[in-house]
């Protein structure tokens, strides 16, 4: 789910919020170019058929002895066929894995654990691959982020979701400083309907550069990977917008991506 959701990474979200401020309020963010830095990124129309990914020995990717690659992940992410009117540029998909910890300056150990999990920190979870895609729609303030994160084992993927869910119970407000200059303040809270074994859904108000954005994310553990789908839009207390961001559409898009991920790993 800034995230990492990873799913949405803190770096990605910070850029989105700062871009929003610069553009005079549009919540849409441009897709990140293929990333080379150490910090990476935490459903309606007919979906494209999933492509089954396999390892060189013939076993499903993500099964013991096999893990999804960035090329395989790219085929599983959401596209313009999954939500009418939304578009994306695959050449701008981000492929960075977070290798450097973002240090929490306010919030304590629980919030540090939340941020590490949200960013799928590779030094903690052994993250092997990640692809993050941004989808936008003209004249619509809500953008979509679609990500899949691969791990060396199912246990590592499960640990990331477990740590995220545990962090959400205790971490209510946190702050980090990126690159020594950008202060990011986050206020996360769990979405009860999307928080269960192997799944963590949450709402997050994130402020940077004097601008606040709202993110709703759903992260699901699938085999040796985690699916992340997030909606990012303007700060609002409007019940209708909050329902739109954290309601059925988020669940639907998440289910679409989870289904593809299960097929790719031979789990369905």
């Amino acid at each position: 789910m800034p995230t990492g959701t990873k799913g949405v990474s803190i770096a990605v979200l910070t850029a989105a919020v700062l871009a929003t401020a610069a553009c005079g309020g549009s919540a849409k963010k441009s897709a990140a170019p293929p990333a080379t830095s150490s910090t990476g990124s935490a459903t309606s129309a007919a979906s494209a058929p999933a492509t089954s990914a396999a390892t060189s020995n013939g076993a499903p990717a993500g099964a013991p002895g096999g893990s999804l690659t960035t090329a395989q992940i790219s085929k599983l992410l959401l596209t313009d066929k999954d939500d009418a009117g939304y578009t994306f540029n695959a050449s701008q998909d981000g492929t960075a894995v977070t290798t450097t910890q973002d240090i929490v300056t306010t919030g304590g150990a629980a919030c540090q654990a939340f941020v590490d999990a949200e960013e799928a920190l590779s030094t903690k979870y052994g993250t092997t691959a990640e692809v993050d895609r941004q989808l936008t729609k003209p004249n619509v303030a809500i953008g979509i982020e679609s990500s899949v994160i691969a791990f060396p084992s199912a246990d590592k993927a499960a640990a990331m979701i477990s740590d995220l869910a545990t962090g959400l119970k205790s971490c209510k407000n946190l702050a980090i400083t990126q690159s020594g200059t950008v202060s990011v303040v986050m206020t996360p809270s769990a979405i009860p309907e999307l928080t269960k074994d192997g799944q963590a859904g949450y709402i997050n108000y994130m402020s940077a550069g004097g601008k606040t954005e709202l993110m709703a994310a759903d992260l699901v553990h699938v085999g040796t990977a985690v699916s992340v789908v997030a909606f990012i839009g303007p700060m609002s207390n409007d019940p209708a917008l909050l329902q739109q961001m954290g309601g059925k559409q988020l669940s639907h898009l998440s289910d679409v991506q989870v289904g593809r991920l299960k097929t790719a790993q031979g789990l369905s």
Side-chain angles (χ1 to χ4, degrees):
M1 156 276 220
T3 97
T5 133
K6 228 55 194 73
V8 194
S9 85
I10 288 177
V12 171
L13 287 181
T14 300
V17 172
L18 294 178
T20 298
C23 294
S26 170
K28 293 181 290 181
K29 59 178 180 173
S30 58
T36 56
S37 67
S38 61
T39 302
S41 50
T43 17
S44 66
S47 58
T51 300
S52 178
T55 63
S56 59
N57 63 6
S67 184
L68 292 168
T69 65
T70 56
Q72 292 165 334
I73 290 173
S74 295
K75 299 177 181 178
L76 309 177
L77 301 181
L78 299 177
T79 73
D80 50 0
K81 294 182 175 63
D82 298 312
D83 204 331
Y86 276 88
T87 60
F88 71 101
N89 185 341
S91 69
Q92 295 183 336
D93 289 352
T95 57
V97 169
T98 301
T99 59
T100 302
Q101 184 184 55
D102 277 311
I103 304 298
V104 169
T105 55
T106 301
C111 289
Q112 185 66 68
F114 168 78
V115 169
D116 292 348
E118 187 182 42
E119 297 197 317
L121 184 64
S122 65
T123 54
K124 185 172 184 178
Y125 301 104
T127 316
T128 58
E130 176 179 349
V131 182
D132 309 302
R133 174 172 296 167
Q134 323 276 324
L135 298 96
T136 60
K137 188 175 184 178
N139 302 316
V140 173
I142 299 174
I144 299 173
E145 178 160 328
S146 169
S147 303
V148 168
I149 311 160
F151 299 87
S153 68
D155 287 345
K156 289 291 187 181
M160 179 231 165
I161 292 295
S162 177
D163 290 349
L164 188 70
T166 299
L168 283 168
K169 294 178 181 179
S170 303
C171 179
K172 303 305 178 184
N173 294 279
L174 68 95
I176 64 171
T177 300
Q178 285 199 313
S179 303
T181 57
V182 180
S183 178
V184 182
V185 177
M186 303 167 66
T187 306
S189 59
I191 301 174
E193 297 82 2
L194 299 180
T195 301
K196 58 194 75 172
D197 186 35
Q199 180 178 9
Y202 63 99
I203 292 283
N204 195 359
Y205 288 92
M206 192 277 291
S207 300
K211 187 69 179 181
T212 300
E213 291 284 275
L214 171 63
M215 180 186 75
D218 187 28
L219 289 80
V220 183
H221 166 217
V222 183
T224 60
V226 168
S227 167
V228 185
V229 174
F231 288 177
I232 304 172
M235 177 179 176
S236 174
N237 293 317
D238 177 44
L241 179 62
L242 293 175
Q243 176 61 30
Q244 180 182 359
M245 292 191 68
K248 294 181 179 179
Q249 185 67 353
L250 177 62
S251 296
H252 172 60
L253 288 173
S254 180
D255 287 346
V256 168
Q257 187 162 282
V258 165
R260 293 174 184 163
L261 193 50
K262 287 181 176 179
T263 299
Q265 296 185 89
L267 300 175
S268 62

